[in-house]
Amino acid sequence: MQPDTCYPLTTDSLVDTFGRRIDYLRVSVTDRCDLRCTYCMPKGFNGFEEPANWLSHAEMHRLVSLFVCLGVGKIRLTGGEPLLRHGIAELAGAIAATPGVRDLSLSSNGTQLARHARALYTAGVQRLNISLDSLDADCMARVTGRDCLADVLAGLRAAKAAGFAPIKLNMVVQRGVNDHELHRMVQFAVAEGYVLRLIEPMPMGETGREAVGIDLNRLGQQLAHTYGLIPEIKGQGAGPARYWRTSDSSMSLGIITPMSQHFCASCNRVRLTVDGTLYLCLGQEFQVPLGAMLRDGADDIALLDAIRAGIAAKPERHEFTEQPAKIVRFMSQTGG
């Protein structure tokens, strides 16, 4: 569903009070997941959003279209695990066909990717981010709560066969859990031509606070030196990672450091949950109930005004370091 009314598009339609242009929307299509990664969701957790409160595909598309009206051109579909949502390829196709969407990507744990990759590519998804925390089946099972490595690797092969390139691998590095595999992961990424991104865990909820990370700044530089990688000036899109690449650009290594060196000053994104709640910052609680407004009958102008007001209230930065216990919601409840 396209919005009936749009404000005129301008190059600074969504600029917050700190001068950051917001042009990136991450949409959680479900908070369900078939894994229980230790840094994301507690073991045995079942406090999921009721399906009756989920936005329908049409409602999601309507809200996405309103953000696009305001100059947002980069959309990422996330979860939970987005490939568990029925009709995900159809939703992706509708969003990809929306005038003004210039980049549509999807984040996945990869377990369901083998049977969805071609449909996603055909629908217009341009890029994939796949979680891969280990190449050791036992370690992967300990981190995710399930013996899933073979499924994820099959999904990666299917994604390459479907035409996705480059594919980004996201590895959340935890001290004493998978940090011993860093060289193996780099070698795998080089051999397969993947972009490998090393990520520091964030204290999202109790389970996130239990994950012990590593300062990736020096480590990233050391790995780049070891493998002869050179700094990338443009990086890999508008995200927070800093990158190095091989001389032929066949592989890239990135680090994402929300804890040791935050990137809040350049934050260009907001998150929409499966029930239509808009979060302006992972590390703050301020939210805008766009889904509730929509279902209460708000017209497009009211929703556009609410989006603008929300962006105006976007916090300057997270407070994970100063107040690590502040955020009680888990990462899966906000959207990746």
Side-chain angles (χ1 to χ4, degrees):
M1 176 180 177
Q2 294 291 334
D4 297 323
T5 307
C6 275
Y7 291 161
L9 293 178
T10 64
T11 57
D12 60 348
S13 292
L14 287 180
V15 177
D16 69 12
T17 55
F18 304 98
R20 299 171 296 197
R21 185 184 177 200
I22 311 304
D23 60 1
Y24 183 8
L25 176 66
R26 298 174 72 106
V27 182
S28 174
V29 301
T30 179
D31 60 347
R32 304 300 205 269
C33 190
D34 55 347
L35 302 181
R36 293 293 183 273
C37 295
T38 54
Y39 50 81
C40 183
M41 189 189 303
K43 185 177 181 180
F45 177 76
N46 59 5
F48 298 107
E49 187 62 66
E50 292 295 327
N53 296 329
W54 295 359
L55 294 180
S56 68
H57 288 182
E59 290 169 332
M60 282 186 179
H61 188 212
R62 179 183 173 192
L63 289 179
V64 168
S65 297
L66 290 172
F67 277 92
V68 174
C69 283
L70 294 173
V72 172
K74 184 175 181 180
I75 310 294
R76 176 174 293 277
L77 302 178
T78 71
E81 171 47 50
L83 300 187
L84 296 181
R85 182 74 188 258
H86 180 71
I88 184 65
E90 289 79 8
L91 175 62
I95 293 174
T98 303
V101 173
R102 65 178 186 277
D103 184 278
L104 176 62
S105 56
L106 181 140
S107 293
S108 171
N109 63 30
T111 61
Q112 311 292 320
L113 187 57
R115 60 193 183 90
H116 287 286
R118 190 163 299 279
L120 292 171
Y121 188 81
T122 301
V125 175
Q126 296 161 270
R127 295 180 298 107
L128 295 175
N129 284 17
I130 307 302
S131 295
L132 183 64
D133 290 323
S134 175
L135 289 169
D136 178 86
D138 291 338
C139 180
M140 189 72 163
R142 288 193 298 272
V143 172
T144 66
R146 176 183 151 194
D147 182 8
C148 63
L149 179 60
D151 291 337
V152 177
L153 294 179
L156 288 171
R157 291 192 295 270
K160 289 180 72 172
F164 286 104
I167 297 171
K168 295 180 181 178
L169 305 180
N170 289 344
M171 179 185 186
V172 177
V173 181
Q174 299 183 72
R175 185 180 302 278
V177 176
N178 61 352
D179 55 328
H180 63 286
E181 286 195 70
L182 288 169
H183 288 282
R184 185 181 180 188
M185 289 290 289
V186 173
Q187 292 162 8
F188 175 70
V190 170
E192 298 293 335
Y194 295 128
V195 176
L196 174 62
R197 306 199 309 172
L198 309 178
I199 304 174
E200 295 174 352
M202 291 176 282
M204 296 285 292
E206 182 178 353
T207 190
R209 286 188 286 277
E210 292 175 352
V212 180
I214 296 173
D215 184 333
L216 292 179
N217 289 282
R218 180 177 297 180
L219 183 57
Q221 294 173 357
Q222 291 172 345
L223 288 170
H225 177 74
T226 298
Y227 292 96
L229 307 179
I230 57 179
E232 280 199 69
I233 304 302
K234 293 183 179 180
Q236 294 278 339
R242 286 167 284 151
Y243 287 97
W244 298 265
R245 62 174 175 82
T246 55
S247 58
D248 62 358
S249 298
S250 61
M251 177 271 182
S252 294
L253 170 70
I255 58 171
I256 300 179
T257 58
M259 303 304 296
S260 64
Q261 185 176 333
H262 72 75
F263 33 81
C264 301
S266 59
C267 181
N268 67 334
R269 66 199 60 199
V270 292
R271 288 169 167 83
L272 191 69
T273 67
V274 67
D275 71 347
T277 301
L278 177 66
Y279 281 99
L280 290 310
C281 175
L282 274 177
Q284 300 288 351
E285 292 288 4
F286 186 83
Q287 56 190 266
V288 182
L290 295 177
M293 291 179 60
L294 183 154
R295 291 191 168 179
D296 284 342
D299 63 16
D300 291 337
I301 291 179
L303 291 168
L304 287 163
D305 285 341
I307 293 170
R308 286 181 177 274
I311 298 303
K314 182 174 170 65
E316 181 178 13
R317 59 182 295 267
H318 69 65
E319 297 174 311
F320 286 142
T321 303
E322 300 88 342
Q323 301 186 63
K326 181 175 182 177
I327 303 302
V328 298
R329 67 183 188 275
F330 306 116
M331 177 66 82
S332 61
Q333 295 173 303
T334 308

